[in-house]
Amino acid sequence: MKKPIAAIISAVLFGGIAAAPCNVLSVPAASAQEKAAKPNYQNRAQIPEKDKWNLHDLYKSKAAWEADVKKAEELSAEITAKYQGKLDQSVDQIVGALQDYSTLSELSSKAYGYANLSFDVNQSNPKKQALLNRAEKMAAKIAADTSWLNPEIVSIKTGTMKKILRDKKLAPYKYVLQDMLRTKSHTLTKQEEEVLARLSPLSDTGTNVYGMLAKDVKFPKIKDSKGKEIQLTRSNYISYVESGDRLVRKGAYEAYYRTLGKFQDSFAQALTAQVKSHTIHAGLRNYKSALEAAVVPNDVPAKVYDQLISSVNKGLPLLHRYMELKKKLLGVDELHMYDMYTPIVEADRAYIPYEDAKKMVMDGLKPMGDDYLSIMNEAFKKRWIDVYSTEDKATGAYQWGSYGNHPFVLLNYQGTKGDVATIAHELGHAAHNYMSGKKQNYLNAHYAIFTAEVASTLNEALLWNSEYKKAGTKKEKLYLLNQRLENFRTTLFRQTQFAEFEKKIHELDQKGEALTAETYNKVYGEINQKYYGKVMAADKEIPLEWARIPHFYNYNFYVYQYATSFAASTALSKQIADEGAPAVKRIKDNLLSAGGSSDPISILKNAGVDMSSSEPVDQAMKVFEETLNEMEKLVNES
């Protein structure tokens, strides 16, 4: 059985908007009264309770958690004893098995989520590590105990199953069953499924090694714009390569990648373990490739992935043109990758207090209606969100769904405009999860990752529209236009670049070629140069970027969906602007409340965008070109 997705996670998109050096257009700075000091919490105890998520909403005590872990393990054994070998006897048996499996999945997901969330805000705590290890053992046991369920259902004769599907009792599970039958040719025997389930912890080796390696790697000190030595970390790296001082961002960039370079063989081993796991899994399940094995189970045709890369490659001349504009406005003789994080339009760099960020997000999402805003308000007021970073907190940002409860959102808020967009992004996931949970049963509530990023990037698009409407001067409009171009670069182009890299290294593995740090550097360096064009200097550090992208290690062909979803949300945000309430209702009813009740292509088509064609990506490219044209026009007028 396809495992319900307990967590929809997204990392902060690299390349935020910050200040730039001279030779750029500037936006008026905030007044002294508007500026606020950036908090600097040394440990979790210093963070106010209101800015930490409340895990007591899941469990009041560890004892209560342990009781659920034990209950889940017992229930998984009971399901096997009660239903195994009996599913073809009656519709009631199938309905009962699915109901009990749903109860088990909901219970185990809640317990696993609590352990994972506890660990991610205190990763150096041995007790939290032990908690997560216990949860992982529970998950492995349940997977092994119930591994017979999918094979047994799909082994039911086709004619018998067609009759079964017509029974009204199975209506709540119809798509779940149809989805299982769709991948029948990739389902193994009961014994084989059990073996794979027992071996499943080994498939996470690359992920686990990367996680510990990334945590343990220590970076050197660098100098800030005032010449003061500061400690470079994973968390503050982006803020320093966003610096308006070119020497600061160059120093941070080189220090970061040269440090990664010392460990590149270890990172390569972790990535290779992940790639080989995907390739082996694909072969065992009779897929043609690791790519097909990753996307087909989510009911997405593999051609969508290839189509994305092809369409974006056709649009690369537009990205090259944007790079030329960036070089011109930065006033540099040579454009380097460390210049990518610096905007070509300067804005006020004052720290944005979290309370102000919340208001900006709420204002931006007003077109979604009062009911949607009430969900956002509840998230802010009832401690769904863990806001600030500490040394041993997981980096990036994500949303973790909890069926029957509310979602949880992890942030590492630094007070930048990019961080404000991240809040909107993750709350898009949270609203999607929350609304689907209210409308769908457990097995239908967990949407495919293909649709997950549409809700989040739609929120970002609405936030941008709100800020652009408020822009009162040409300079403010220039800033926002540049921000939009950067969103396209970091999402549609950059995530497709990542997707192309993933596809290439998996193809090399399938051909039996050696995967080493040297291989990864060569492949990544060539793809990066293709995307950014001749205007971009071939920095020796950039081929190592693969070593810092967590999605390569943690997920399986995930990042392409950031790009496809961005294209979809671009179209949907335009529909909201053009149609208003009818478009909002269509999106809420057919996307945000749909969960995984149908295939993702149909869900998005019903919401208003057809991802089975190249049209959404082509339309996004047109929007990028129009934005670039407007930017160039305003620059020439300045």
Side-chain angles (χ1 to χ4, degrees), residues 207-231:
T207 298
N208 295 335
V209 171
Y210 169 77
M212 299 308 293
L213 184 60
K215 180 176 72 70
D216 291 341
V217 169
K218 302 301 180 184
F219 298 94
K221 291 184 177 181
I222 61 173
K223 291 185 178 181
D224 63 16
S225 57
K226 297 180 180 179
K228 180 183 177 182
E229 279 199 342
I230 50 94
Q231 179 65 52

Side-chain angles (χ1 to χ4, degrees), residues 472-607:
T473 68
K474 180 191 293 186
K475 289 180 179 179
E476 289 173 329
K477 290 180 179 179
L478 281 166
Y479 170 79
L480 289 165
L481 288 168
N482 181 53
Q483 183 186 55
R484 192 181 206 185
L485 291 172
E486 281 295 291
N487 287 341
F488 270 88
R489 181 184 70 81
T490 58
T491 310
L492 186 57
F493 288 105
R494 183 172 171 82
Q495 303 305 320
T496 303
Q497 175 187 342
F498 290 166
E500 190 167 346
F501 173 73
E502 281 190 284
K503 183 173 186 285
K504 179 65 175 177
I505 61 176
H506 282 81
E507 288 174 343
L508 290 175
D509 184 58
Q510 191 169 7
K511 292 176 182 178
E513 297 190 25
L515 296 180
T516 64
E518 183 179 1
T519 304
Y520 294 136
N521 289 341
K522 182 177 185 298
V523 173
Y524 195 92
E526 290 174 351
I527 292 175
N528 190 80
Q529 198 65 41
K530 177 177 72 171
Y531 271 70
Y532 285 95
K534 295 180 180 179
V535 69
M536 182 65 65
D539 294 323
K540 62 182 180 181
E541 291 86 6
I542 194 58
L544 273 166
E545 189 170 39
W546 58 267
R548 71 172 287 250
I549 308 302
H551 286 68
F552 294 159
Y553 304 86
N554 296 333
Y555 304 102
N556 187 4
F557 289 96
Y558 185 101
V559 295
Y560 86 99
Q561 291 155 124
Y562 285 122
T564 54
S565 298
F566 185 85
S569 62
T570 299
L572 293 177
S573 66
K574 189 175 189 309
Q575 290 174 21
I576 290 174
D578 293 344
E579 302 174 36
V584 171
K585 186 178 187 305
R586 185 172 63 244
I587 292 166
K588 287 178 180 176
D589 292 347
N590 298 300
L591 171 62
L592 300 182
S593 298
S597 57
S598 183
D599 68 278
I601 300 297
S602 295
I603 286 174
L604 288 175
K605 191 171 184 177
N606 291 336

Side-chain angles (χ1 to χ4, degrees), residues 201-261:
L202 295 179
S203 65
D204 293 330
T205 299
T207 298
N208 295 335
V209 171
Y210 169 77
M212 299 308 293
L213 184 60
K215 180 176 72 70
D216 291 341
V217 169
K218 302 301 180 184
F219 298 94
K221 291 184 177 181
I222 61 173
K223 291 185 178 181
D224 63 16
S225 57
K226 297 180 180 179
K228 180 183 177 182
E229 279 199 342
I230 50 94
Q231 179 65 52
L232 184 65
T233 68
R234 290 178 299 157
S235 297
N236 67 18
Y237 168 70
I238 292 296
S239 64
Y240 286 107
V241 290
E242 288 176 340
S243 173
D245 187 328
R246 202 177 193 213
L247 289 178
V248 171
R249 62 180 186 263
K250 181 176 184 290
Y253 176 85
E254 291 179 348
Y256 195 95
Y257 282 107
R258 287 174 184 176
T259 301
L260 292 184

Side-chain angles (χ1 to χ4, degrees), residues 311-324:
S311 296
V312 170
N313 270 251
K314 290 178 182 177
L316 288 180
L318 290 173
L319 180 60
H320 300 166
R321 193 174 122 200
Y322 175 46
M323 292 300 99
E324 291 283 0

